[in-house]
Amino acid sequence: MPIGMIRTEAPAGAGGGGHGSSEYYMIVDFGRCIVDDKGAPNDVYTGLDYTMPGICAALSSERGGERIEVPDFRPGGTGRV
């Protein structure tokens, strides 16, 4: 499915967030995890794994290509990934 296309089976208004209907399905899946008392497929650490490399890359660029270690925020983590 091309990114940005609204899925035809999505309810009316599901694409109102500006990203097709992707955020609708993310919220529905998250709600199911709560209702079913299951862990979410992505936790805060996964989110940080996806986010921090970009932040560190931007910082590195601002500093002329200086090496910036990507932090590991997990308890007992090494402090970098």
Side-chain angles (χ1 to χ4, degrees):
M1 179 173 90
I3 294 174
M5 295 193 62
I6 296 174
R7 293 170 55 173
T8 56
E9 74 276 9
H19 298 98
S21 57
S22 60
E23 65 273 21
Y24 167 80
Y25 287 100
M26 180 178 61
I27 295 299
V28 167
D29 288 345
F30 183 73
R32 282 190 191 129
C33 290
I34 294 170
V35 170
D36 297 340
D37 197 25
K38 294 182 178 178
N42 295 311
D43 59 14
V44 67
Y45 300 111
T46 303
L48 288 166
D49 288 344
Y50 293 164
T51 303
M52 290 308 299
I55 292 172
C56 292
L59 181 59
S60 172
S61 178
E62 289 174 1
R63 295 183 178 177
E66 176 184 332
R67 181 185 169 130
I68 305 292
E69 291 190 9
V70 178
D72 178 2
F73 292 96
R74 287 171 179 76
T78 61
R80 62 183 186 275
V81 177

